[in-house]
Structure formats: C-alpha cells, structure tokens
PDB file of all heavy atoms in Angstrom:
ATOM      1  N   GLN D   1      86.187  99.369 111.582  1.00 95.00           N
ATOM      2  CA  GLN D   1      85.123 100.215 111.038  1.00 95.00           C
ATOM      3  C   GLN D   1      85.598 101.660 110.873  1.00 95.00           C
ATOM      4  O   GLN D   1      85.200 102.337 109.940  1.00 95.00           O
ATOM      5  CB  GLN D   1      83.872 100.166 111.923  1.00 95.00           C
ATOM      6  CG  GLN D   1      83.143  98.846 111.862  1.00 95.00           C
ATOM      7  CD  GLN D   1      81.927  98.805 112.762  1.00 95.00           C
ATOM      8  OE1 GLN D   1      80.821  98.631 112.281  1.00 95.00           O
ATOM      9  NE2 GLN D   1      82.117  98.959 114.061  1.00 95.00           N
ATOM     10  N   SER D   2      86.464 102.132 111.765  1.00 95.00           N
ATOM     11  CA  SER D   2      86.895 103.531 111.695  1.00 95.00           C
ATOM     12  C   SER D   2      88.122 103.733 110.806  1.00 95.00           C
ATOM     13  O   SER D   2      88.199 104.716 110.080  1.00 95.00           O
ATOM     14  CB  SER D   2      87.174 104.088 113.092  1.00 95.00           C
ATOM     15  OG  SER D   2      88.243 103.407 113.696  1.00 95.00           O
ATOM     16  N   SER D   3      89.081 102.784 110.841  1.00 97.00           N
ATOM     17  CA  SER D   3      90.326 103.008 110.104  1.00 97.00           C
ATOM     18  C   SER D   3      90.571 102.013 108.974  1.00 97.00           C
ATOM     19  O   SER D   3      91.497 102.194 108.192  1.00 97.00           O
ATOM     20  CB  SER D   3      91.514 102.962 111.062  1.00 97.00           C
ATOM     21  OG  SER D   3      91.741 101.638 111.496  1.00 97.00           O
ATOM     22  N   GLY D   4      89.785 100.938 108.924  1.00 97.00           N
ATOM     23  CA  GLY D   4      89.977  99.947 107.872  1.00 97.00           C
ATOM     24  C   GLY D   4      90.970  98.850 108.219  1.00 97.00           C
ATOM     25  O   GLY D   4      91.157  97.909 107.452  1.00 97.00           O
ATOM     26  N   TYR D   5      91.621  98.961 109.389  1.00 98.00           N
ATOM     27  CA  TYR D   5      92.577  97.926 109.784  1.00 98.00           C
ATOM     28  C   TYR D   5      92.558  97.769 111.300  1.00 98.00           C
ATOM     29  O   TYR D   5      92.484  98.757 112.036  1.00 98.00           O
ATOM     30  CB  TYR D   5      94.010  98.270 109.346  1.00 98.00           C
ATOM     31  CG  TYR D   5      95.003  97.192 109.727  1.00 98.00           C
ATOM     32  CD1 TYR D   5      95.098  96.033 108.973  1.00 98.00           C
ATOM     33  CD2 TYR D   5      95.807  97.324 110.849  1.00 98.00           C
ATOM     34  CE1 TYR D   5      95.992  95.018 109.332  1.00 98.00           C
ATOM     35  CE2 TYR D   5      96.706  96.323 111.210  1.00 98.00           C
ATOM     36  CZ  TYR D   5      96.787  95.173 110.447  1.00 98.00           C
ATOM     37  OH  TYR D   5      97.653  94.173 110.804  1.00 98.00           O
ATOM     38  N   ALA D   6      92.638  96.528 111.742  1.00 98.00           N
ATOM     39  CA  ALA D   6      92.735  96.253 113.173  1.00 98.00           C
ATOM     40  C   ALA D   6      93.496  94.948 113.361  1.00 98.00           C
ATOM     41  O   ALA D   6      93.389  94.034 112.547  1.00 98.00           O
ATOM     42  CB  ALA D   6      91.346  96.136 113.794  1.00 98.00           C
ATOM     43  N   GLU D   7      94.273  94.905 114.423  1.00 98.00           N
ATOM     44  CA  GLU D   7      94.972  93.666 114.748  1.00 98.00           C
ATOM     45  C   GLU D   7      95.031  93.519 116.261  1.00 98.00           C
ATOM     46  O   GLU D   7      94.918  94.504 117.000  1.00 98.00           O
ATOM     47  CB  GLU D   7      96.382  93.629 114.165  1.00 98.00           C
ATOM     48  CG  GLU D   7      97.344  94.600 114.792  1.00 98.00           C
ATOM     49  CD  GLU D   7      98.747  94.505 114.195  1.00 98.00           C
ATOM     50  OE1 GLU D   7      98.890  94.342 112.970  1.00 98.00           O
ATOM     51  OE2 GLU D   7      99.703  94.604 114.991  1.00 98.00           O
ATOM     52  N   THR D   8      95.212  92.289 116.696  1.00 98.00           N
ATOM     53  CA  THR D   8      95.400  92.010 118.110  1.00 98.00           C
ATOM     54  C   THR D   8      96.255  90.769 118.248  1.00 98.00           C
ATOM     55  O   THR D   8      96.319  89.947 117.332  1.00 98.00           O
ATOM     56  CB  THR D   8      94.045  91.833 118.841  1.00 98.00           C
ATOM     57  OG1 THR D   8      94.277  91.875 120.244  1.00 98.00           O
ATOM     58  CG2 THR D   8      93.372  90.512 118.486  1.00 98.00           C
ATOM     59  N   HIS D   9      96.894  90.672 119.381  1.00 98.00           N
ATOM     60  CA  HIS D   9      97.627  89.462 119.729  1.00 98.00           C
ATOM     61  C   HIS D   9      96.814  88.725 120.775  1.00 98.00           C
ATOM     62  O   HIS D   9      96.148  89.340 121.606  1.00 98.00           O
ATOM     63  CB  HIS D   9      99.018  89.806 120.263  1.00 98.00           C
ATOM     64  CG  HIS D   9      99.928  90.313 119.200  1.00 98.00           C
ATOM     65  ND1 HIS D   9      99.972  91.636 118.829  1.00 98.00           N
ATOM     66  CD2 HIS D   9     100.792  89.668 118.394  1.00 98.00           C
ATOM     67  CE1 HIS D   9     100.843  91.789 117.853  1.00 98.00           C
ATOM     68  NE2 HIS D   9     101.352  90.604 117.561  1.00 98.00           N
ATOM     69  N   PHE D  10      96.870  87.420 120.741  1.00 98.00           N
ATOM     70  CA  PHE D  10      96.188  86.624 121.751  1.00 98.00           C
ATOM     71  C   PHE D  10      96.801  86.949 123.112  1.00 98.00           C
ATOM     72  O   PHE D  10      97.989  87.286 123.198  1.00 98.00           O
ATOM     73  CB  PHE D  10      96.324  85.133 121.425  1.00 98.00           C
ATOM     74  CG  PHE D  10      95.327  84.635 120.412  1.00 98.00           C
ATOM     75  CD1 PHE D  10      95.022  85.357 119.268  1.00 98.00           C
ATOM     76  CD2 PHE D  10      94.682  83.435 120.617  1.00 98.00           C
ATOM     77  CE1 PHE D  10      94.099  84.887 118.344  1.00 98.00           C
ATOM     78  CE2 PHE D  10      93.756  82.941 119.697  1.00 98.00           C
ATOM     79  CZ  PHE D  10      93.464  83.673 118.568  1.00 98.00           C
ATOM     80  N   PRO D  11      96.013  86.839 124.174  1.00 97.00           N
ATOM     81  CA  PRO D  11      96.509  87.215 125.503  1.00 97.00           C
ATOM     82  C   PRO D  11      97.761  86.457 125.945  1.00 97.00           C
ATOM     83  O   PRO D  11      98.658  87.050 126.532  1.00 97.00           O
ATOM     84  CB  PRO D  11      95.343  86.902 126.437  1.00 97.00           C
ATOM     85  CG  PRO D  11      94.139  86.888 125.566  1.00 97.00           C
ATOM     86  CD  PRO D  11      94.599  86.454 124.210  1.00 97.00           C
ATOM     87  N   ASP D  12      97.844  85.156 125.644  1.00 96.00           N
ATOM     88  CA  ASP D  12      98.938  84.364 126.187  1.00 96.00           C
ATOM     89  C   ASP D  12      99.496  83.374 125.170  1.00 96.00           C
ATOM     90  O   ASP D  12     100.027  82.332 125.543  1.00 96.00           O
ATOM     91  CB  ASP D  12      98.452  83.621 127.453  1.00 96.00           C
ATOM     92  CG  ASP D  12      99.598  83.176 128.343  1.00 96.00           C
ATOM     93  OD1 ASP D  12     100.535  83.972 128.542  1.00 96.00           O
ATOM     94  OD2 ASP D  12      99.558  82.032 128.832  1.00 96.00           O
ATOM     95  N   GLN D  13      99.326  83.691 123.882  1.00 94.00           N
ATOM     96  CA  GLN D  13      99.831  82.822 122.813  1.00 94.00           C
ATOM     97  C   GLN D  13     100.500  83.703 121.759  1.00 94.00           C
ATOM     98  O   GLN D  13     100.089  84.848 121.568  1.00 94.00           O
ATOM     99  CB  GLN D  13      98.678  82.068 122.120  1.00 94.00           C
ATOM    100  CG  GLN D  13      97.949  81.098 122.999  1.00 94.00           C
ATOM    101  CD  GLN D  13      98.522  79.695 122.894  1.00 94.00           C
ATOM    102  OE1 GLN D  13      99.654  79.499 122.498  1.00 94.00           O
ATOM    103  NE2 GLN D  13      97.734  78.720 123.277  1.00 94.00           N
ATOM    104  N   PRO D  14     101.497  83.188 121.055  1.00 95.00           N
ATOM    105  CA  PRO D  14     102.146  83.978 119.997  1.00 95.00           C
ATOM    106  C   PRO D  14     101.318  83.943 118.704  1.00 95.00           C
ATOM    107  O   PRO D  14     101.766  83.433 117.679  1.00 95.00           O
ATOM    108  CB  PRO D  14     103.505  83.289 119.835  1.00 95.00           C
ATOM    109  CG  PRO D  14     103.209  81.853 120.184  1.00 95.00           C
ATOM    110  CD  PRO D  14     102.149  81.894 121.260  1.00 95.00           C
ATOM    111  N   ILE D  15     100.112  84.478 118.785  1.00 98.00           N
ATOM    112  CA  ILE D  15      99.187  84.458 117.646  1.00 98.00           C
ATOM    113  C   ILE D  15      98.706  85.879 117.412  1.00 98.00           C
ATOM    114  O   ILE D  15      98.321  86.579 118.351  1.00 98.00           O
ATOM    115  CB  ILE D  15      97.981  83.541 117.930  1.00 98.00           C
ATOM    116  CG1 ILE D  15      98.445  82.103 118.161  1.00 98.00           C
ATOM    117  CG2 ILE D  15      96.969  83.604 116.777  1.00 98.00           C
ATOM    118  CD1 ILE D  15      97.364  81.176 118.689  1.00 98.00           C
ATOM    119  N   LYS D  16      98.721  86.296 116.145  1.00 98.00           N
ATOM    120  CA  LYS D  16      98.202  87.620 115.781  1.00 98.00           C
ATOM    121  C   LYS D  16      97.014  87.440 114.847  1.00 98.00           C
ATOM    122  O   LYS D  16      97.081  86.700 113.867  1.00 98.00           O
ATOM    123  CB  LYS D  16      99.280  88.457 115.097  1.00 98.00           C
ATOM    124  CG  LYS D  16      98.778  89.857 114.719  1.00 98.00           C
ATOM    125  CD  LYS D  16      99.893  90.764 114.238  1.00 98.00           C
ATOM    126  CE  LYS D  16     100.167  90.566 112.785  1.00 98.00           C
ATOM    127  NZ  LYS D  16     101.111  91.565 112.226  1.00 98.00           N
ATOM    128  N   LEU D  17      95.935  88.132 115.161  1.00 98.00           N
ATOM    129  CA  LEU D  17      94.735  88.133 114.338  1.00 98.00           C
ATOM    130  C   LEU D  17      94.561  89.535 113.792  1.00 98.00           C
ATOM    131  O   LEU D  17      94.683  90.514 114.535  1.00 98.00           O
ATOM    132  CB  LEU D  17      93.521  87.743 115.187  1.00 98.00           C
ATOM    133  CG  LEU D  17      92.169  87.685 114.481  1.00 98.00           C
ATOM    134  CD1 LEU D  17      92.137  86.543 113.448  1.00 98.00           C
ATOM    135  CD2 LEU D  17      91.043  87.502 115.498  1.00 98.00           C
ATOM    136  N   SER D  18      94.291  89.642 112.478  1.00 98.00           N
ATOM    137  CA  SER D  18      94.084  90.972 111.904  1.00 98.00           C
ATOM    138  C   SER D  18      92.915  90.984 110.930  1.00 98.00           C
ATOM    139  O   SER D  18      92.569  89.956 110.333  1.00 98.00           O
ATOM    140  CB  SER D  18      95.356  91.466 111.196  1.00 98.00           C
ATOM    141  OG  SER D  18      95.655  90.663 110.075  1.00 98.00           O
ATOM    142  N   PHE D  19      92.305  92.163 110.831  1.00 98.00           N
ATOM    143  CA  PHE D  19      91.228  92.436 109.876  1.00 98.00           C
ATOM    144  C   PHE D  19      91.674  93.614 109.016  1.00 98.00           C
ATOM    145  O   PHE D  19      92.008  94.674 109.546  1.00 98.00           O
ATOM    146  CB  PHE D  19      89.925  92.845 110.583  1.00 98.00           C
ATOM    147  CG  PHE D  19      89.311  91.814 111.493  1.00 98.00           C
ATOM    148  CD1 PHE D  19      88.445  92.210 112.490  1.00 98.00           C
ATOM    149  CD2 PHE D  19      89.567  90.461 111.355  1.00 98.00           C
ATOM    150  CE1 PHE D  19      87.843  91.282 113.342  1.00 98.00           C
ATOM    151  CE2 PHE D  19      88.973  89.526 112.200  1.00 98.00           C
ATOM    152  CZ  PHE D  19      88.115  89.940 113.196  1.00 98.00           C
ATOM    153  N   GLN D  20      91.687  93.429 107.695  1.00 98.00           N
ATOM    154  CA  GLN D  20      92.063  94.492 106.758  1.00 98.00           C
ATOM    155  C   GLN D  20      90.910  94.708 105.785  1.00 98.00           C
ATOM    156  O   GLN D  20      90.603  93.825 104.984  1.00 98.00           O
ATOM    157  CB  GLN D  20      93.322  94.099 105.980  1.00 98.00           C
ATOM    158  CG  GLN D  20      93.678  95.034 104.845  1.00 98.00           C
ATOM    159  CD  GLN D  20      94.244  96.352 105.324  1.00 98.00           C
ATOM    160  OE1 GLN D  20      95.209  96.378 106.072  1.00 98.00           O
ATOM    161  NE2 GLN D  20      93.640  97.444 104.905  1.00 98.00           N
ATOM    162  N   ALA D  21      90.267  95.867 105.892  1.00 97.00           N
ATOM    163  CA  ALA D  21      89.151  96.173 104.999  1.00 97.00           C
ATOM    164  C   ALA D  21      89.678  96.545 103.616  1.00 97.00           C
ATOM    165  O   ALA D  21      90.649  97.284 103.483  1.00 97.00           O
ATOM    166  CB  ALA D  21      88.324  97.318 105.567  1.00 97.00           C
ATOM    167  N   THR D  22      89.032  95.980 102.593  1.00 93.00           N
ATOM    168  CA  THR D  22      89.342  96.326 101.205  1.00 93.00           C
ATOM    169  C   THR D  22      88.004  96.461 100.488  1.00 93.00           C
ATOM    170  O   THR D  22      87.430  95.462 100.053  1.00 93.00           O
ATOM    171  CB  THR D  22      90.213  95.241 100.531  1.00 93.00           C
ATOM    172  OG1 THR D  22      89.567  93.976 100.686  1.00 93.00           O
ATOM    173  CG2 THR D  22      91.595  95.169 101.131  1.00 93.00           C
ATOM    174  N   GLY D  23      87.504  97.679 100.432  1.00 92.00           N
ATOM    175  CA  GLY D  23      86.184  97.899  99.845  1.00 92.00           C
ATOM    176  C   GLY D  23      85.111  97.271 100.706  1.00 92.00           C
ATOM    177  O   GLY D  23      85.050  97.508 101.911  1.00 92.00           O
ATOM    178  N   SER D  24      84.300  96.431 100.093  1.00 96.00           N
ATOM    179  CA  SER D  24      83.213  95.787 100.836  1.00 96.00           C
ATOM    180  C   SER D  24      83.624  94.436 101.419  1.00 96.00           C
ATOM    181  O   SER D  24      82.793  93.681 101.899  1.00 96.00           O
ATOM    182  CB  SER D  24      82.009  95.588  99.911  1.00 96.00           C
ATOM    183  OG  SER D  24      82.348  94.667  98.886  1.00 96.00           O
ATOM    184  N   ARG D  25      84.927  94.139 101.384  1.00 97.00           N
ATOM    185  CA  ARG D  25      85.449  92.873 101.886  1.00 97.00           C
ATOM    186  C   ARG D  25      86.441  93.122 103.010  1.00 97.00           C
ATOM    187  O   ARG D  25      86.975  94.215 103.142  1.00 97.00           O
ATOM    188  CB  ARG D  25      86.149  92.081 100.768  1.00 97.00           C
ATOM    189  CG  ARG D  25      85.419  92.002  99.457  1.00 97.00           C
ATOM    190  CD  ARG D  25      84.437  90.906  99.282  1.00 97.00           C
ATOM    191  NE  ARG D  25      84.870  89.573  99.589  1.00 97.00           N
ATOM    192  CZ  ARG D  25      84.004  88.597  99.849  1.00 97.00           C
ATOM    193  NH1 ARG D  25      82.709  88.830  99.813  1.00 97.00           N
ATOM    194  NH2 ARG D  25      84.422  87.383 100.134  1.00 97.00           N
ATOM    195  N   VAL D  26      86.690  92.083 103.790  1.00 98.00           N
ATOM    196  CA  VAL D  26      87.694  92.149 104.852  1.00 98.00           C
ATOM    197  C   VAL D  26      88.578  90.916 104.733  1.00 98.00           C
ATOM    198  O   VAL D  26      88.085  89.794 104.666  1.00 98.00           O
ATOM    199  CB  VAL D  26      87.042  92.199 106.256  1.00 98.00           C
ATOM    200  CG1 VAL D  26      88.109  92.102 107.341  1.00 98.00           C
ATOM    201  CG2 VAL D  26      86.223  93.458 106.441  1.00 98.00           C
ATOM    202  N   LEU D  27      89.894  91.165 104.701  1.00 98.00           N
ATOM    203  CA  LEU D  27      90.858  90.074 104.720  1.00 98.00           C
ATOM    204  C   LEU D  27      91.112  89.731 106.185  1.00 98.00           C
ATOM    205  O   LEU D  27      91.553  90.571 106.965  1.00 98.00           O
ATOM    206  CB  LEU D  27      92.166  90.495 104.039  1.00 98.00           C
ATOM    207  CG  LEU D  27      93.277  89.442 104.010  1.00 98.00           C
ATOM    208  CD1 LEU D  27      92.850  88.211 103.208  1.00 98.00           C
ATOM    209  CD2 LEU D  27      94.554  90.041 103.439  1.00 98.00           C
ATOM    210  N   VAL D  28      90.799  88.491 106.557  1.00 98.00           N
ATOM    211  CA  VAL D  28      90.984  88.001 107.916  1.00 98.00           C
ATOM    212  C   VAL D  28      92.250  87.159 107.906  1.00 98.00           C
ATOM    213  O   VAL D  28      92.369  86.216 107.125  1.00 98.00           O
ATOM    214  CB  VAL D  28      89.773  87.145 108.366  1.00 98.00           C
ATOM    215  CG1 VAL D  28      89.977  86.638 109.778  1.00 98.00           C
ATOM    216  CG2 VAL D  28      88.479  87.934 108.247  1.00 98.00           C
ATOM    217  N   THR D  29      93.216  87.515 108.770  1.00 98.00           N
ATOM    218  CA  THR D  29      94.493  86.811 108.793  1.00 98.00           C
ATOM    219  C   THR D  29      94.846  86.410 110.220  1.00 98.00           C
ATOM    220  O   THR D  29      94.711  87.211 111.142  1.00 98.00           O
ATOM    221  CB  THR D  29      95.624  87.715 108.244  1.00 98.00           C
ATOM    222  OG1 THR D  29      95.262  88.180 106.948  1.00 98.00           O
ATOM    223  CG2 THR D  29      96.945  86.971 108.177  1.00 98.00           C
ATOM    224  N   ALA D  30      95.281  85.171 110.372  1.00 98.00           N
ATOM    225  CA  ALA D  30      95.812  84.705 111.650  1.00 98.00           C
ATOM    226  C   ALA D  30      97.239  84.234 111.406  1.00 98.00           C
ATOM    227  O   ALA D  30      97.485  83.398 110.536  1.00 98.00           O
ATOM    228  CB  ALA D  30      94.975  83.576 112.217  1.00 98.00           C
ATOM    229  N   LYS D  31      98.178  84.808 112.142  1.00 98.00           N
ATOM    230  CA  LYS D  31      99.577  84.376 112.072  1.00 98.00           C
ATOM    231  C   LYS D  31      99.834  83.566 113.341  1.00 98.00           C
ATOM    232  O   LYS D  31      99.808  84.102 114.451  1.00 98.00           O
ATOM    233  CB  LYS D  31     100.519  85.573 111.986  1.00 98.00           C
ATOM    234  CG  LYS D  31     101.953  85.165 111.732  1.00 98.00           C
ATOM    235  CD  LYS D  31     102.822  86.370 111.418  1.00 98.00           C
ATOM    236  CE  LYS D  31     104.214  86.013 110.973  1.00 98.00           C
ATOM    237  NZ  LYS D  31     104.936  85.024 111.715  1.00 98.00           N
ATOM    238  N   ILE D  32     100.017  82.270 113.147  1.00 97.00           N
ATOM    239  CA  ILE D  32     100.182  81.323 114.245  1.00 97.00           C
ATOM    240  C   ILE D  32     101.588  80.758 114.127  1.00 97.00           C
ATOM    241  O   ILE D  32     101.826  79.852 113.329  1.00 97.00           O
ATOM    242  CB  ILE D  32      99.108  80.210 114.165  1.00 97.00           C
ATOM    243  CG1 ILE D  32      97.710  80.827 114.106  1.00 97.00           C
ATOM    244  CG2 ILE D  32      99.257  79.228 115.316  1.00 97.00           C
ATOM    245  CD1 ILE D  32      96.643  79.930 113.523  1.00 97.00           C
ATOM    246  N   GLY D  33     102.520  81.328 114.875  1.00 92.00           N
ATOM    247  CA  GLY D  33     103.920  80.945 114.701  1.00 92.00           C
ATOM    248  C   GLY D  33     104.356  81.330 113.296  1.00 92.00           C
ATOM    249  O   GLY D  33     104.218  82.475 112.887  1.00 92.00           O
ATOM    250  N   GLU D  34     104.823  80.357 112.551  1.00 94.00           N
ATOM    251  CA  GLU D  34     105.240  80.606 111.164  1.00 94.00           C
ATOM    252  C   GLU D  34     104.090  80.410 110.171  1.00 94.00           C
ATOM    253  O   GLU D  34     104.202  80.773 109.011  1.00 94.00           O
ATOM    254  CB  GLU D  34     106.409  79.689 110.781  1.00 94.00           C
ATOM    255  CG  GLU D  34     107.671  79.955 111.584  1.00 94.00           C
ATOM    256  CD  GLU D  34     108.145  81.401 111.467  1.00 94.00           C
ATOM    257  OE1 GLU D  34     108.259  81.913 110.337  1.00 94.00           O
ATOM    258  OE2 GLU D  34     108.401  82.022 112.519  1.00 94.00           O
ATOM    259  N   GLU D  35     103.003  79.806 110.633  1.00 96.00           N
ATOM    260  CA  GLU D  35     101.864  79.527 109.759  1.00 96.00           C
ATOM    261  C   GLU D  35     100.964  80.754 109.628  1.00 96.00           C
ATOM    262  O   GLU D  35     100.719  81.462 110.613  1.00 96.00           O
ATOM    263  CB  GLU D  35     101.054  78.361 110.337  1.00 96.00           C
ATOM    264  CG  GLU D  35      99.875  77.951 109.474  1.00 96.00           C
ATOM    265  CD  GLU D  35      99.052  76.839 110.101  1.00 96.00           C
ATOM    266  OE1 GLU D  35      99.285  76.482 111.272  1.00 96.00           O
ATOM    267  OE2 GLU D  35      98.165  76.340 109.400  1.00 96.00           O
ATOM    268  N   VAL D  36     100.493  80.997 108.416  1.00 98.00           N
ATOM    269  CA  VAL D  36      99.574  82.105 108.177  1.00 98.00           C
ATOM    270  C   VAL D  36      98.311  81.550 107.521  1.00 98.00           C
ATOM    271  O   VAL D  36      98.394  80.824 106.532  1.00 98.00           O
ATOM    272  CB  VAL D  36     100.206  83.188 107.275  1.00 98.00           C
ATOM    273  CG1 VAL D  36      99.208  84.297 106.971  1.00 98.00           C
ATOM    274  CG2 VAL D  36     101.453  83.763 107.927  1.00 98.00           C
ATOM    275  N   LYS D  37      97.160  81.887 108.102  1.00 98.00           N
ATOM    276  CA  LYS D  37      95.876  81.488 107.524  1.00 98.00           C
ATOM    277  C   LYS D  37      95.139  82.751 107.136  1.00 98.00           C
ATOM    278  O   LYS D  37      95.063  83.696 107.933  1.00 98.00           O
ATOM    279  CB  LYS D  37      95.050  80.695 108.534  1.00 98.00           C
ATOM    280  CG  LYS D  37      95.651  79.370 108.947  1.00 98.00           C
ATOM    281  CD  LYS D  37      94.735  78.668 109.922  1.00 98.00           C
ATOM    282  CE  LYS D  37      95.305  77.366 110.427  1.00 98.00           C
ATOM    283  NZ  LYS D  37      94.402  76.722 111.394  1.00 98.00           N
ATOM    284  N   ARG D  38      94.586  82.754 105.913  1.00 97.00           N
ATOM    285  CA  ARG D  38      93.885  83.943 105.413  1.00 97.00           C
ATOM    286  C   ARG D  38      92.582  83.548 104.747  1.00 97.00           C
ATOM    287  O   ARG D  38      92.482  82.499 104.126  1.00 97.00           O
ATOM    288  CB  ARG D  38      94.721  84.661 104.361  1.00 97.00           C
ATOM    289  CG  ARG D  38      95.907  85.391 104.865  1.00 97.00           C
ATOM    290  CD  ARG D  38      96.533  86.239 103.749  1.00 97.00           C
ATOM    291  NE  ARG D  38      97.662  86.985 104.253  1.00 97.00           N
ATOM    292  CZ  ARG D  38      98.911  86.576 104.192  1.00 97.00           C
ATOM    293  NH1 ARG D  38      99.199  85.435 103.622  1.00 97.00           N
ATOM    294  NH2 ARG D  38      99.878  87.308 104.688  1.00 97.00           N
TER     295      ARG D  38
END
C-alpha cells in the first residue's frame, strides 16, 4: 500500500511470495523452487 511492492520468503521453505501494484491491479507471484505462479 505504501510503496507498491512487497515480498516475503516463507519461514522454513524456499518459497518467495510477492505483490507488485500496477495501477488498480496487483501482480501476485509465488516462486516455488524453479516454478513460478502468477
């Protein structure tokens, strides 16, 4: 909400979750190992 971008890593898994604001939309991305879901 403040900067338009946020990411975090899972506490005990090699997974990154991110939110990227683009106008009135947000791109939600999960990087799970080599797999990327958006």
Side-chain angles (χ1 to χ4, degrees):
Q1 289 179 119
S2 64
S3 71
Y5 181 79
E7 69 179 40
T8 193
H9 289 86
F10 278 43
D12 200 43
Q13 295 267 22
I15 299 170
K16 181 171 85 172
L17 180 67
S18 65
F19 298 158
Q20 171 73 55
T22 53
S24 65
R25 314 273 309 160
V26 173
L27 179 63
V28 180
T29 305
K31 187 170 188 314
I32 306 158
E34 296 303 310
E35 182 183 8
V36 177
K37 296 181 183 179
R38 288 189 178 94

